């Protein structure tokens, strides 16, 4: 049973080849777009790798870059097939390659769909990664003299200013860590001694935040220290005052940013999938219609194009048989060179008979 059979005249095959050539180059540009999108997303993730605990989310840009490059190559091949499709001397060389091309094109569509699904599925992993990464970043904020953490303070400060956020969940996260290095503390000061003694771990904790938490849009000068002490500031109420600080936590800010970035790629990726499927279907019709005309030995005559020569079940069975045949093609039968004793005796007897028949009889 032939599925979706369409009759093609020669002018119609020409128009199909021309349209498919344009569509193939559009798909090449889409592949370039997908690759650039993957590079951009990868760069944005690497820029803030210090505040991420794992790199699982990197699978999304990695797939985008790989699919983009493969898409460029496969669709360039499709454009070449279109050019050779109306030349009876050049088209047959693509016959073997086209089977692999269809497999790769179908795999590309599946991978692009997987990217869209992963963009939503990995949101929880991304949030957890940022939660742990930001918690460590805040804890190591003061370690500007420790190798490997020298730029942690700069990273956190730039992050809080760029995304207008403060802390992991909110500004109170800074109350739970010592974010001022010991080298900048006066240990002769009574206040410093009392704060260190009052803490079980001997840390210098205070109800203050770094300058990068301050909101520059606030008309009031920034309040960084003694944020929970209403008497420390004029006309100030800890429970109701905005504190002139960014209210949103950086984990939520970064999660929203990356999810918005990945979700915005969804419509673009879906558009590329539709274009890729259109190229795949059109090339299949072009291939079968051209091969049909060549089988009739009339390149300019009418022919029929179709997607599948048989039903889906039979087609999958044939593909499986072809794949197994290709796998066994290069294998050598280990028993091929070993003949059975009976066969060897039979061959020897046949040779003797042939020699007797060929030898001349003695003269009488």
């Amino acid at each position: 049973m032939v599925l979706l059979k369409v009759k093609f005249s020669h002018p119609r095959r020409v128009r199909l080849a021309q349209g498919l050539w344009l569509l193939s180059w559009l798909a090449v540009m889409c592949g370039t777009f997908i690759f650039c999108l993957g590079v951009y997303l990868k760069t944005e993730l690497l820029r803030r790798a210090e505040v991420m605990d794992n790199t699982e989310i990197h699978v999304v840009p990695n797939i985008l870059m790989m699919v983009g490059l493969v898409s460029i190559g496969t669709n360039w091949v499709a454009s070449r097939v279109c050019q050779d499709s109306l030349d009876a001397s050049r088209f047959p060389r693509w016959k073997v390659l086209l089977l692999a091309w269809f497999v790769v094109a179908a795999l590309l569509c599946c991978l692009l769909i997987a990217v869209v699904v992963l963009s939503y599925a990995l949101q929880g992993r991304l949030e957890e990664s940022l939660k742990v990464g930001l918690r460590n970043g805040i804890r190591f904020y003061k370690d500007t003299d420790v190798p490997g953490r020298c730029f942690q303070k700069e990273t956190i400060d730039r992050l809080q200013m760029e995304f207008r956020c403060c802390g992991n969940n909110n500004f109170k996260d800074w109350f739970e860590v010592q974010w001022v290095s010991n080298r900048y503390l006066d240990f002769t000061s009574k206040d410093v001694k009392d704060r260190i003694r009052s803490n079980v771990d001997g840390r210098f904790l205070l109800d203050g935040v770094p300058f990068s938490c301050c909101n520059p849009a606030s008309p009031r000068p920034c309040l960084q220290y003694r944020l929970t002490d209403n008497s420390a500031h004029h006309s100030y109420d800890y429970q109701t005052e905005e504190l002139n600080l960014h209210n949103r936590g950086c984990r939520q800010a970064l999660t929203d940013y990356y999810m918005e970035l990945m979700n915005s790629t969804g419509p673009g990726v879906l558009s590329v999938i539709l274009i890729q499927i259109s190229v795949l279907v059109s090339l299949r019709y072009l291939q079968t219609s051209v091969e049909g005309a060549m089988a009739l030995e009339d390149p300019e005559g009418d022919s029929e194009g179709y997607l599948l020569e048989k039903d889906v079940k039979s087609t999958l069975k044939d593909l499986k048989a072809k794949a197994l045949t290709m796998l066994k093609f290069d294998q050598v039968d280990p028993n091929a060179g070993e003949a059975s004793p009976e066969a060897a005796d039979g061959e020897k007897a046949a040779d003797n008979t042939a020699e007797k028949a060929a030898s001349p009889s003695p003269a009488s």
Side-chain angles (χ1 to χ4, degrees), residues 189-199 203-204:
S189 170
K190 182 178 182 302
D191 180 62
V192 173
K193 291 180 180 179
D194 290 342
R195 286 184 180 274
I196 293 177
R197 289 196 191 109
S198 64
N199 187 270
R203 295 178 297 170
F204 179 76

Side-chain angles (χ1 to χ4, degrees), residues 67-123:
V67 169
L69 289 175
V70 177
S71 179
I72 292 172
T74 54
N75 289 294
W76 177 81
V77 170
S79 68
R80 293 296 305 274
V81 174
C82 294
Q83 292 176 336
D84 296 344
S85 61
L86 302 179
D87 189 338
S89 63
R90 298 169 65 183
F91 183 76
R93 65 180 180 178
W94 296 104
K95 188 173 181 179
V96 177
L97 183 62
L98 280 177
L99 177 61
W101 187 95
F102 286 121
V103 173
V104 172
L107 182 61
L108 285 180
C109 294
C110 295
L111 286 175
L112 287 173
I113 294 174
V115 167
V116 177
V117 174
L118 285 173
S119 297
Y120 293 94
L122 291 177
Q123 179 175 358

Side-chain angles (χ1 to χ4, degrees), residues 10-31:
H10 182 261
R12 193 175 182 184
R13 287 198 300 271
V14 172
R15 289 195 298 271
L16 176 61
Q18 292 173 342
L20 181 55
W21 184 85
L22 293 174
L23 192 62
S24 299
W25 280 108
L26 176 61
V28 168
M29 290 187 287
C30 289

Side-chain angles (χ1 to χ4, degrees), residues 120-292:
Y120 293 94
L122 291 177
Q123 179 175 358
R125 297 291 184 90
L126 173 64
E127 193 169 353
E128 184 63 25
S129 175
L130 289 170
K131 178 181 178 180
V132 177
L134 285 168
R135 183 177 62 199
N136 292 333
I138 292 173
R139 188 175 64 182
F140 302 139
Y141 180 87
K142 68 179 188 307
D143 297 337
T144 53
D145 297 330
V146 178
R149 303 175 186 170
C150 301
F151 299 100
Q152 196 72 56
K153 175 184 179 300
E154 180 182 357
T155 300
I156 295 296
D157 283 334
R158 289 185 180 277
L159 177 66
Q160 294 188 143
M161 290 187 291
E162 180 180 353
F163 287 90
R164 296 180 177 274
C165 59
C166 184
N168 193 341
N169 298 309
N170 52 56
F171 66 90
K172 294 181 182 179
D173 292 325
W174 290 103
F175 298 175
E176 302 172 0
V177 298
Q178 178 181 338
W179 53 272
V180 180
S181 176
N182 287 338
R183 66 182 296 186
Y184 302 115
L185 295 177
D186 181 8
F187 287 94
T188 62
S189 170
K190 182 178 182 302
D191 180 62
V192 173
K193 291 180 180 179
D194 290 342
R195 286 184 180 274
I196 293 177
R197 289 196 191 109
S198 64
N199 187 270
V200 176
D201 297 330
R203 295 178 297 170
F204 179 76
L205 304 181
L206 69 162
D207 52 345
V209 297
F211 77 97
S212 54
C213 282
C214 294
N215 185 0
S218 173
R220 180 171 184 164
C222 181
L223 303 178
Q224 288 182 251
Y225 303 104
R226 303 178 67 180
L227 296 176
T228 58
D229 187 0
N230 290 337
S231 62
H233 310 285
H234 177 68
S235 185
Y236 173 73
D237 185 357
Y238 168 67
Q239 300 296 332
T240 60
E241 186 71 23
E242 290 294 333
L243 305 178
N244 297 323
L245 306 177
H246 300 303
N247 294 322
R248 186 170 60 161
C250 290
R251 174 166 58 90
Q252 187 61 47
L254 281 173
T255 300
D256 292 344
Y257 171 72
Y258 282 121
M259 290 310 301
E260 181 181 357
L261 186 62
M262 286 190 288
N263 292 342
S264 64
T265 65
V269 172
L270 291 176
S271 301
V272 174
I273 293 174
L274 292 176
I275 293 173
Q276 191 66 53
I277 292 176
S278 300
V279 172
L280 193 152
V281 172
S282 300
L283 187 58
R284 178 59 177 169
Y285 274 119
L286 181 64
Q287 177 202 9
T288 53
S289 61
V290 171
E291 289 180 353

